[in-house]
Amino acid sequence: MSERTPEPDPSTPATTTYSLTTPSTTLTLTRRLPAQDTTPQGALLIWPDTRLTSAQTCLASNGLACWLARYGFDVGVIDASPHHPGLIDEVIPSVLKQWATISGHGKFNVVAQGWTGVALASSMARAPELRRMNRGQILLGSRRHRSRGTAEATPLRELWKTIRSKVRGYEHAKPIHPMERYWLKGNPWQDSDGLDYGKSLIRGGMPPTLFVASEDAPHCTPGDAARFRDECGPHQGDFLLLGTACGFSRDYSVSDMLADPDATKEVYPRLLDWLMEY
């Protein structure tokens, strides 16, 4: 692990909220400006999967957005469901271009969680100009295919997750994007208009990507994340397993990567180390 700067001042960076209009929807972006007296590190966009983690969790004083802003990042957080039907071809391209204008940076990092990571990679394949804006991305527990033995949770577990979601303040719902359930069943990475995303990336084009996995069978296993990494074609990719097998104190779930209090000690520093290289 590379050496980092000392812990930053614990003060909360300034916040500004924007309403972003896309061709098919309107969503909210909250910007955490870099903390004062820090070395500027560029811009970064965080898009949590709202079924797993709320934007408010990322924006809390101990959340990833505020934590990275204390290290000098200009951070934007999207507060919207990543399951809109026009997400891949309309919403993501519009949001990335608007964030480039708001932040004033032509290139920036992206952190995407869950299904958002699959949609982001799909957008990179569909619109090559977006790849040039993405300096490097971190995909937290993103999978396009569900491995055997990782079927949907039992009704009792689903009930518990729904209760926990309401307590923590984030959305828990079934997939609504038209391609999500189809892709999770192992069908080819093709869209309804016939575009083959895998073929679009076979000659490269994905920005440097850190694939973060966990032993979280209902949402994403290490095998699921590794398979998705391989589907994304040749690119500079790294892989991180957040579990006891790799020296962590526990096996993090996909939601815990952003929501668990211990993430500030074990997960965030590893993400920061990677971001500092890109």
Side-chain angles (χ1 to χ4, degrees):
M1 184 182 299
S2 60
E3 184 178 352
R4 297 192 310 275
T5 56
E7 284 295 318
D9 186 277
S11 60
T12 300
T15 299
T16 308
T17 301
Y18 301 83
S19 180
L20 305 187
T21 300
T22 74
S24 54
T25 188
T26 300
L27 38 74
T28 300
L29 180 145
T30 302
R31 182 185 187 186
R32 288 281 192 195
L33 294 172
Q36 297 181 354
D37 302 323
T38 59
T39 302
Q41 300 297 337
L44 181 145
L45 182 69
I46 300 175
W47 199 322
D49 187 324
T50 54
R51 295 174 304 176
L52 301 170
T53 308
S54 69
Q56 289 70 33
T57 296
C58 300
L59 292 163
S61 60
N62 62 342
L64 181 61
C66 195
W67 196 89
L68 289 175
R70 293 182 187 133
Y71 278 99
F73 283 92
D74 185 351
V75 186
V77 179
I78 295 295
D79 187 3
S81 170
H83 308 278
H84 189 278
L87 180 68
I88 294 171
D89 57 345
E90 294 181 358
V91 179
I92 287 179
S94 179
V95 168
L96 295 187
K97 293 172 184 176
Q98 290 184 70
W99 173 237
T101 300
I102 291 170
S103 66
H105 290 79
K107 299 189 71 172
F108 46 85
N109 296 107
V110 181
V111 177
Q113 181 191 34
W115 169 253
T116 315
V118 179
L120 180 65
S122 302
S123 292
M124 298 290 111
R126 181 176 284 274
E129 66 273 15
L130 298 181
R131 309 175 203 173
R132 294 189 287 270
M133 301 169 62
N134 194 338
R135 188 168 63 185
Q137 59 190 7
I138 298 176
L139 306 186
L140 303 174
S142 296
R143 67 171 178 187
R144 191 194 69 81
H145 173 264
R146 182 189 300 123
S147 301
R148 291 183 179 180
T150 60
E152 291 290 343
T154 63
L156 182 60
R157 186 178 298 175
E158 286 288 334
L159 175 61
W160 165 243
K161 287 191 296 183
T162 301
I163 295 173
R164 187 178 66 172
S165 298
K166 292 181 179 180
V167 171
R168 288 187 176 182
Y170 52 82
E171 171 191 344
H172 179 77
K174 291 293 184 181
I176 61 174
H177 188 278
M179 300 308 298
E180 181 172 7
R181 191 175 296 278
Y182 177 78
W183 286 345
L184 282 175
K185 291 180 179 179
N187 291 302
W189 193 11
Q190 298 175 356
D191 214 323
S192 55
D193 63 359
L195 179 65
D196 190 312
Y197 293 113
K199 287 185 178 180
S200 297
L201 295 172
I202 200 167
R203 294 183 179 177
M206 280 276 283
T209 304
L210 173 63
F211 293 83
V212 183
S214 63
E215 296 288 355
D216 186 1
H219 296 114
C220 184
T221 67
D224 293 334
R227 175 169 176 169
F228 182 48
R229 174 200 59 193
D230 295 342
E231 286 184 317
C232 288
H235 65 281
Q236 186 172 349
D238 296 311
F239 194 86
L240 173 63
L241 175 60
L242 299 177
T244 56
C246 294
F248 290 87
S249 64
R250 50 172 299 192
D251 291 321
Y252 284 83
S253 69
V254 177
S255 67
D256 288 343
M257 293 176 186
L258 292 175
D260 193 273
D262 288 338
T264 59
K265 304 173 184 177
E266 292 194 305
V267 180
Y268 296 176
R270 296 294 295 271
L271 304 185
L272 175 63
D273 284 344
W274 192 88
L275 289 168
M276 292 298 237
E277 297 182 15
Y278 301 97

